[in-house]
Every structure is written in C-alpha cells, then in structure tokens.
C-alpha cells in the first residue's frame, strides 16, 4: 500500500478509539457499588446490535443511538436491581456513552495521524454523542461523521461510501480504521482501504478478544501509535 494514495482516515469509535467497557464499569461501579458492573455493561452492550437491527429491518424508523441505548438500558435495569431509578438518574446514566475515556494511545496517535491525513469519525454513535465525547476526551477530529448523517447504520454501504462522497474522493482514497473485522469487511466491500487495530481488552481484561490478523486488511497494528508509524506520521 502506498500511504499517499489515502487522503482520509475514518475511525470507528466504540472500542477502537475509546474504552467503552472500562469507562462504563468505572462509572457504574462508583454510582451503584451493589451492582456487578462488568455484567451490567456487557448486558447493555449486548443489546446494541439487536437494537440497530430493528432500525435496519424497518421495524423502527430512524432512531439515534442515544435513544437505542436508552431502550436497552430501561430493559436491563430490573435485571440488576435498578428498576427504581428515576428519570433524571436514567438520563444521566444513559449519557455515560458521551463520557467514554480514550485508550491511552488514542489522542497522541490521532494527533500524529492528523498531521498528514484528514481524520474523521465514522461511528454509529450520533453527532451530539460523538461531539461531547471528543470535547471531553480531547479527540482532535477534523470532522465528525456519524451514521446519523447518512441515516443508515454500519455496515450499510451508505455509511462507507458516504465518507468518500463528503470529501469528494474515490473510495480507495479513504481508509477505515477499526477494531472490528465485520466493520472492516463492510468497508472493503465498498472499495475502502482498511486498517485493523488490536484492542484485546475491549470487553474487559477478564474477557480477552482474539486479535489475530485476518486476510484482506491493508494494515494490522497494535495501536494508533503503531498505525502512525506505519503511515509515516
């Protein structure tokens, strides 16, 4: 791969740039010490794809991730003895997704990559969520793109091709950077370049993830700093 061929790096966010599991475990553990925070967070995340599938299938009209997160949250609270939470507490807890901490390498890695490339988010998270997260965490995006812009959730081709369209580029001049092979497969099918980032503890240290290289990706890197090294930044 010739790095100069790529003009835009588009980043998956949850798990790739930010540590959703660790961040929410810490906050839930502080707010509700009686709850098994690890199990709670994994149950909340387990509802993420099924909720988006309801939108993809047409069962639900277009619905923001904030609202899908809230639907799943309301469903799991009784299971963890938190059915008594009032509206204000539920709203505050649901917005924990706006307050996720970056992985230790993320800000420095993105800052290096930004010197040479246009860097943008490409997340299923909604624009308000991504903007609040970036402001709090110091994520130095040039642009915040979201499934909300295209009214389609990844891996719908409208998301990947939408990035290329926004910047007026052919798909092969956009690279998706993600810690999820299914996301990268969707991008490759649309002609984008792909870089896999290892995040073995995305689901917590107790639930290590297989981060073995898979064929098809242009790059396989241990971190965003390693990606910056590979791309000469």
């Amino acid at each position: 791969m010739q790095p100069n061929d790529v003009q835009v790096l588009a980043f998956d966010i949850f798990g790739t740039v930010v540590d959703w599991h660790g961040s929410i475990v810490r906050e839930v553990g502080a707010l509700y010490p009686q709850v098994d925070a690890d199990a709670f967070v994994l149950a909340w995340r387990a509802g993420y794809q099924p909720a988006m599938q309801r939108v993809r299938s047409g069962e639900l009209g277009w619905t923001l991730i904030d609202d899908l997160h809230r639907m799943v949250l309301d469903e799991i609270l009784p299971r963890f003895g938190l059915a008594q939470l009032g509206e204000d507490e539920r709203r505050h807890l649901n917005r924990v997704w706006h307050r996720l901490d970056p992985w230790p390498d993320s800000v420095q890695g993105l800052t290096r990559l930004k010197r040479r490339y246009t860097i943008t988010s490409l997340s299923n998270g909604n624009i308000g969520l991504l903007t609040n997260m970036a402001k709090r965490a110091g994520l130095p995006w040039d642009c915040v793109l979201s499934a909300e812009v295209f009214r389609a959730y990844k891996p719908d081709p409208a998301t990947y091709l939408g990035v290329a369209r926004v910047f007026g580029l052919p798909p092969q001049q956009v690279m998706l950077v993600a810690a999820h092979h299914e996301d990268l497969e969707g991008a490759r099918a649309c002609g984008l370049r792909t870089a896999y980032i290892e995040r073995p503890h995305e689901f917590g240290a107790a639930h290590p993830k297989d981060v073995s290289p898979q064929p098809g990706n242009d790059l396989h890197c241990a971190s965003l700093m390693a990606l910056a090294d590979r791309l000469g930044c």
Side-chain angles (χ1 to χ4, degrees):
M1 189 195 86
Q2 296 299 317
N4 288 337
D5 294 344
V6 172
Q7 301 297 315
V8 172
L9 302 178
F11 292 79
D12 172 68
I13 302 301
F14 299 126
T16 302
V17 175
V18 296
D19 175 13
W20 58 266
H21 179 275
S23 302
I24 303 177
V25 163
R26 287 188 288 275
E27 186 156 335
V28 169
L31 289 171
Y32 309 106
Q34 76 277 21
V35 170
D36 181 340
D38 174 68
F40 181 89
V41 173
L42 292 177
W44 199 356
R45 182 65 173 184
Y48 177 69
Q49 286 293 341
M52 285 190 295
Q53 186 55 37
R54 293 178 66 190
V55 176
R56 294 186 190 107
S57 71
E59 177 189 346
L60 288 177
W62 176 252
T63 308
L64 298 182
I65 283 293
D66 270 342
D67 297 322
L68 295 180
H69 278 155
R70 177 60 189 269
M71 289 166 49
V72 180
L73 177 64
D74 287 341
E75 181 183 316
I76 68 169
L77 285 175
R79 198 188 318 168
F80 291 90
L82 295 174
Q84 78 284 0
L85 293 191
E87 176 59 27
D88 288 348
E89 288 177 288
R90 290 174 186 236
R91 186 182 301 115
H92 176 76
L93 182 55
N94 195 56
R95 285 177 68 89
V96 71
W97 295 92
H98 295 223
R99 301 187 291 272
L100 303 181
D101 297 324
W103 293 109
D105 60 280
S106 289
V107 173
Q108 188 176 357
L110 290 173
T111 300
R112 286 176 58 189
L113 291 161
K114 181 184 171 84
R115 293 174 193 152
R116 183 167 187 170
Y117 299 93
T118 296
I119 62 170
T120 182
S121 60
L122 180 61
S123 174
N124 286 329
N126 43 283
I127 295 169
L129 180 160
L130 296 170
T131 302
N132 290 339
M133 177 196 296
K135 183 76 170 176
R136 176 182 176 277
L139 303 174
W141 304 122
D142 292 310
C143 178
V144 174
L145 290 179
S146 156
E148 181 183 354
V149 175
F150 311 113
R151 297 181 72 84
Y153 283 123
K154 295 187 292 180
D156 191 304
T159 58
Y160 308 115
L161 295 174
V163 178
R165 189 179 72 250
V166 163
F167 291 103
L169 295 172
Q172 64 268 24
Q173 290 189 328
V174 178
M175 172 177 278
L176 180 70
V177 181
H180 310 109
H181 287 296
E182 64 277 9
D183 197 2
L184 297 168
E185 288 168 9
R188 276 198 306 278
C190 293
L192 276 67
R193 315 301 285 269
T194 56
Y196 180 78
I197 305 298
E198 295 180 2
R199 297 299 187 196
H201 296 149
E202 178 182 355
F203 295 89
H207 315 281
K209 189 172 78 170
D210 180 7
V211 294
S212 302
Q214 291 193 11
N217 293 318
D218 294 287
L219 297 171
H220 180 106
C221 300
S223 67
L224 294 185
M225 294 290 282
L227 177 64
D229 289 340
R230 291 288 299 276
L231 292 178
C233 298

